[in-house]
């Protein structure tokens, strides 16, 4: 038994529930180029269950390579190709197995096992070809990098090395082979920049343009054309010429660029990007064996670390938990929605109208207090549709149809008389919203759901004066509506199951991540962020400099600093939410007099950007009134994290959401909280904050951590 076989056999025993990928070998006669062996990777399931590499899957590929290796040595074949099932090439390692690993040596075996199998493709006596016919990620990309040549389909929708995004490195050849194929700078873009840019995917044309693939063909007859091209390469009719890789100063500059990107995104708080860059830097000498050993070691170290476990936890939240929202009623109770009403025609309301029209493809009608506002709102939506047309996101027929779906009307009875779902997006004041709902209730059908986009007000109180409060539901979007996936669905005290089920059904059609939330002040994201921001503002008010307060939370690797986030949200909105929460929980939520002064002065934020970088606005600096209590960065960080841990503990005790997992799902999808942290609770557990503040961890052992 070979060392590779022993490694894979041991790993397979640790992972009994693997979805196994087969490696089918068939032989084809290429015109003028002899007999060719084609290996097809297929787990026997449709494209919704992508092909992955667990230990048994790697063993199956290893066995297929045994067969073609013997055939190549005997002169029976002229080449070997690897392709995937329809729409899928392969999407990398099976992460469900990685979660189960408890020992460093077992993690090391995963890296070595993949390398030992994949590198055999480059060692065969005949040329090898990878045909990227569909989605290829991680190990799926890497198995192709070990081949002599690669083709890609123009229809390929997603191609990436997402490991750094999850807290790993491309560990089956990616960090070493890719820069040696396309140069360090392009490799840094794929491995570091794209990963840290919310796991950005490449399309087929981009894969070809980067030089990863040697030829590109239409999706309809991709394999046929790839095989004809292969025959011409084998016959010598087609010569593949690749650009020389610059191994001089350009390589070092690329690595430095990667470090600057990593610093900007994770601020040194997550190790994966830096480990990947170290391997890329060392790969400059072209020593593949040394590089593969480095990948093995980095992979094992990271698998046994908290970042990867948190990354997998995040991945499972957004891929699995998001699809089965905790506490949602039976979907069979949902009523059909054939027309949507939007109360208000401002920016938020107009964004909602566009989203409903695009996703539900039903008539959407806006109302407001005068015709001019309505016309402006409809004009905005039509303008955004024109932008989608210019970008090629919709064709002319689709654009015309979408424009036809969105209209406005001054008379609510005419607008909403046959609407099934009406959402208000008016001024955040209880009296205004109650009045709007009373007017809407008087004209809509009895079955219509009334939704509010409130960010912090009580949905129960909003519905309390209606004849049918049971059909009111909170439907809280996050700005920008088209980008942030989260939708907090709020069940008020009298909301019935049918209305709630309809809300979840609509959310699914909108392609949003819906989380069921109790009707509690500011719900989830705004409550946590307000407590977080409140402590930052408190330490500034008490005397700590703005610079120290901001730098204190850099180790969390947040997408932006607290005061830049405040600028994005808007100081006036931040102040309003803090006032709402101060009213509900005065002992924990403060209203910053300095923030109030900034809002009163009409400032849009704390910073100016005259130099291209954020600098404290001199006018804001003149407004600040501070005490003389100055804290260090560490003291600020401890204070902020303690406050957040306390608030989350209280929210879970109150039943604001079902579990800590829902808190994390909300922060990842609604506030851009880093994937590598797993949201917030795994980080608080890992840093010991949860136990210090609440006397216990938020998550069970093995959840977002290495199993005991």
């Amino acid at each position: 038994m070979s060392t590779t076989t022993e490694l894979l056999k041991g790993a397979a025993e640790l992972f009994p529930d693997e979805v196994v990928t087969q490696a089918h070998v068939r032989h084809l006669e290429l015109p003028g180029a002899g007999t060719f062996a084609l290996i097809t990777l297929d787990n026997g399931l449709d494209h919704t269950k992508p092909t992955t590499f667990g230990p048994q899957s790697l063993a199956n590929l290893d066995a297929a390579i045994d067969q073609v290796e013997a055939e190549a040595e005997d002169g029976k074949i002229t080449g070997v190709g690897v392709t995937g099932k329809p729409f899928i090439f392969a999407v990398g390692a099976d992460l469900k197995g990685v979660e189960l690993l408890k020992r460093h040596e077992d993690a090391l075996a995963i890296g070595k096992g993949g390398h030992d199998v994949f590198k055999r493709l480059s060692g065969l006596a005949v040329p090898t070809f990878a045909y990227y016919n569909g989605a290829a990620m991680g190990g799926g990309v890497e198995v192709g990098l070990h081949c002599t040549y690669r083709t890609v389909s123009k229809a390929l929708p997603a191609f990436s090395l997402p490991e750094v995004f999850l807290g790993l490195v491309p560990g089956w050849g990616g960090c070493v082979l890719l820069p040696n194929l396309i140069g360090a700078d392009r490799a840094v873009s794929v491995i570091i920049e794209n990963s840290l840019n919310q796991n950005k995917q490449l399309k087929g044309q981009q894969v070809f343009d980067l030089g990863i693939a040697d030829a590109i063909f239409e999706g309809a007859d991709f394999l046929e054309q790839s095989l004809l091209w292969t025959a011409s390469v084998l016959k010598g009719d087609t010569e593949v010429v690749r650009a020389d890789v610059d191994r001089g100063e350009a390589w070092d500059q690329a690595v430095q660029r990667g470090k600057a990107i990593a610093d900007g995104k994770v601020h040194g708080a997550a190790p994966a990007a830096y480990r990947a860059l170290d391997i890329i830097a060392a790969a400059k000498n072209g020593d593949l064996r040394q590089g593969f050993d480095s990948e093995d070691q980095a992979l094992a170290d990271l698998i046994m670390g908290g970042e990867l476990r948190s990354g997998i936890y995040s991945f499972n939240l957004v891929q699995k938990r998001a699809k089965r929202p905790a506490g949602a009623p039976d979907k069979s109770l949902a009523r059909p929605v054939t027309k949507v009403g939007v109360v208000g025609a401002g920016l938020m309301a107009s964004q909602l109208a566009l989203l409903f029209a695009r996703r539900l493809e039903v008539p959407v009608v806006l109302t407001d207090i005068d015709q001019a506002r309505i016309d402006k709102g409809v004009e905005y939506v039509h303008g955004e549709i024109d932008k989608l047309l210019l970008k090629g996101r919709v064709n002319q027929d689709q654009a015309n149809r979408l424009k036809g779906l969105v209209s406005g009307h001054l008379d609510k009875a005419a607008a909403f008389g046959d609407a099934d779902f009406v959402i208000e997006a008016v001024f955040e004041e209880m009296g205004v919203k109650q009045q709007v709902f009373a007017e809407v209730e008087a004209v809509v059908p009895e079955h219509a759901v009334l939704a509010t986009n409130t960010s912090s007000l009580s949905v129960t109180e909003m519905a309390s004066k209606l004849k049918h409060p049971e059909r009111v539901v909170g439907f809280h979007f996050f700005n920008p509506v088209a980008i942030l996936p989260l939708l907090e669905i709020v069940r008020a005290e009298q909301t019935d199951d049918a209305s709630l089920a309809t809300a979840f059904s609509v959310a699914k059609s909108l392609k949003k991540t819906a989380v069921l939330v109790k009707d509690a002040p500011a719900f989830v994201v705004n409550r946590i962020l307000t407590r977080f921001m409140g402590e930052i503002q408190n330490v500034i008010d008490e005397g700590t400099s703005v610079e120290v307060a901001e730098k204190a939370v850099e180790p969390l690797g947040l997408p932006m600093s607290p005061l830049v986030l405040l600028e994005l949200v808007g100081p006036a909105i931040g102040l309003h939410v803090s006032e709402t929460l101060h009213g509900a929980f005065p002992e924990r939520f403060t209203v910053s007099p300095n923030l109030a002064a900034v809002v009163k002065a009409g400032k849009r934020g704390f910073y100016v950007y005259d130099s291209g970088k954020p600098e404290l606005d001199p006018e804001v600096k003149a407004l600040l009134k501070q005490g003389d209590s100055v804290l260090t960065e560490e003291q600020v960080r401890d204070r902020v994290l303690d406050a957040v841990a306390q608030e989350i503990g209280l929210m879970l005790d109150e039943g604001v959401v079902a579990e800590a997992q829902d808190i994390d799902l909300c922060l990842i999808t609604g506030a851009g909280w880093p994937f590598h942290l797993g949201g917030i609770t795994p980080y608080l557990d890992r840093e010991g904050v949860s136990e210090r503040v609440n006397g216990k961890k938020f998550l069970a052992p093995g959840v977002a951590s290495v199993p005991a």
Side-chain angles (χ1 to χ4, degrees), residues 176-504:
V176 179
L177 295 174
L178 192 62
N180 279 290
L181 175 67
I182 63 173
D185 194 63
R186 288 179 167 189
V188 162
S189 293
V190 176
I191 294 169
I192 306 298
E193 189 171 19
N194 288 359
S195 280
L196 293 179
N197 187 17
Q198 292 300 306
N199 192 21
K200 181 183 176 184
Q201 300 293 315
L202 298 170
K203 307 287 187 189
Q205 187 66 50
Q206 294 169 301
V207 173
F208 175 69
D209 292 344
L210 283 167
I212 298 171
D214 302 302
I216 183 167
F217 301 108
E218 295 291 344
D221 56 352
F222 169 71
L223 185 57
E224 180 185 353
Q225 292 301 318
S226 292
L227 290 168
L228 289 172
W229 179 84
T230 297
S232 72
V233 171
L234 292 174
K235 288 187 293 182
D237 295 344
T238 295
E239 182 185 0
V240 173
V241 179
R242 297 180 185 135
D244 290 335
V245 171
D246 188 334
R247 299 182 184 281
E249 192 178 333
W251 193 293
D252 302 329
Q253 288 173 345
V255 172
Q256 288 307 310
R257 183 175 76 87
K259 285 184 176 169
I261 292 166
D263 288 343
K265 292 288 186 178
V266 300
H267 308 285
Y274 302 98
R275 292 295 293 267
L277 287 164
D278 288 345
I279 299 169
I280 293 170
K284 180 179 177 180
N285 63 14
D287 186 335
L288 299 187
R289 180 168 181 170
Q290 180 187 31
F292 293 166
D293 287 344
S294 297
E295 286 181 343
D296 288 341
Q297 198 59 54
L299 206 60
D301 291 347
L302 292 166
I303 284 173
M304 299 312 293
E307 184 200 0
L308 171 70
R309 305 303 171 126
S310 293
I312 294 174
Y313 169 78
S314 297
F315 184 80
N316 288 336
L317 288 179
V318 299
Q319 293 296 322
K320 296 177 182 176
R321 191 175 185 91
K323 292 179 173 64
R324 294 185 293 275
D330 191 308
K331 59 186 179 184
S332 67
L333 297 172
R335 293 188 286 260
V337 173
T338 60
K339 183 178 180 181
V340 172
V342 181
V343 185
L347 181 59
M348 189 66 173
S350 301
Q351 288 184 70
L352 295 180
L354 175 63
L355 180 69
F356 278 97
R358 284 193 73 194
R359 299 296 188 214
L360 270 61
E361 296 184 343
V362 300
V364 179
V365 59
L366 300 106
T367 66
D368 212 312
I369 56 174
D370 59 54
Q371 191 63 45
R373 291 176 195 237
I374 294 170
D375 292 344
K376 186 178 179 182
V378 173
E379 187 180 315
Y380 169 87
V381 176
H382 288 188
E384 291 299 301
I385 293 168
D386 286 335
K387 289 178 187 176
L388 292 171
L389 178 63
L390 284 172
K391 292 176 183 175
R393 303 278 294 278
V394 297
N395 61 35
Q396 188 66 61
D397 286 345
Q398 290 169 320
N400 292 342
R401 190 167 69 252
L402 285 173
K403 286 183 180 180
L405 289 174
V406 180
S407 62
H409 209 296
L410 197 55
D411 181 354
K412 287 188 177 67
F416 302 151
D418 55 349
D420 307 300
F421 190 98
V422 179
I423 183 166
E424 68 76 22
V426 299
F427 185 65
E428 192 78 347
E429 202 279 316
M430 183 60 74
V432 174
K433 290 184 183 287
Q434 285 180 332
Q435 180 185 342
V436 162
F437 269 163
E439 292 171 0
V440 171
E441 185 183 45
V443 298
V444 296
E446 286 189 8
H447 67 271
V449 172
L450 305 183
T452 170
N453 185 45
T454 183
S455 59
S456 60
L457 299 177
S458 167
V459 181
T460 301
E461 185 180 347
M462 211 177 292
S464 63
K465 297 182 180 179
L466 299 179
K467 294 175 184 174
H468 295 285
E470 69 278 0
R471 57 176 172 173
V472 176
V473 62
F475 216 60
H476 180 217
F477 289 88
F478 289 79
N479 217 350
V481 168
I483 295 172
L484 289 176
L486 180 64
L487 184 51
E488 290 178 338
I489 296 186
V490 186
R491 181 169 206 156
E493 287 179 13
Q494 290 183 274
T495 306
D496 63 23
D497 283 351
S499 299
L500 198 62
T502 304
F504 273 99

Side-chain angles (χ1 to χ4, degrees), residues 554-673:
E554 276 190 0
L556 273 73
L558 299 173
M560 61 189 75
S561 74
L563 293 182
V564 173
L565 173 63
L566 180 67
E567 194 171 300
L568 183 70
V569 171
I573 293 173
L575 179 64
H576 172 74
V577 177
S578 67
E579 288 170 342
T580 300
L581 281 161
H582 176 69
F585 309 115
E587 70 284 2
R588 300 194 310 279
F589 288 86
T590 55
V591 177
S592 165
N594 281 319
L595 178 59
V598 167
V599 172
K600 186 177 180 182
K603 305 300 292 185
R604 296 182 62 182
F606 277 64
Y607 293 124
V608 289
Y609 297 85
D610 298 338
S611 65
K613 295 187 300 183
E615 294 176 357
L616 189 61
D617 184 336
E619 292 180 16
V620 170
K621 189 174 183 179
L623 290 172
L624 294 182
K625 294 181 179 177
Q626 295 179 281
D628 55 8
S629 175
V630 179
L631 302 182
T632 65
E633 288 179 22
E634 186 177 356
Q635 288 171 324
V636 172
R637 186 162 55 251
D638 285 348
R639 184 161 153 185
V640 170
L641 292 177
D642 284 2
V644 170
Q646 181 195 32
E647 202 59 38
I648 292 172
L650 291 167
M651 289 167 69
L652 292 172
D653 289 344
E654 293 168 24
V656 174
V657 289
E659 294 181 292
Q661 283 89 334
D662 294 311
I663 297 275
D664 295 317
L665 181 57
C666 284
L667 286 175
I668 291 166
T669 57
W673 216 268

Side-chain angles (χ1 to χ4, degrees), residues 638 641-647 688-696:
D638 285 348
L641 292 177
D642 284 2
V644 170
Q646 181 195 32
E647 202 59 38
V689 181
S690 311
E691 289 181 281
R692 181 171 75 229
V693 174
N694 300 322
K696 60 181 180 181

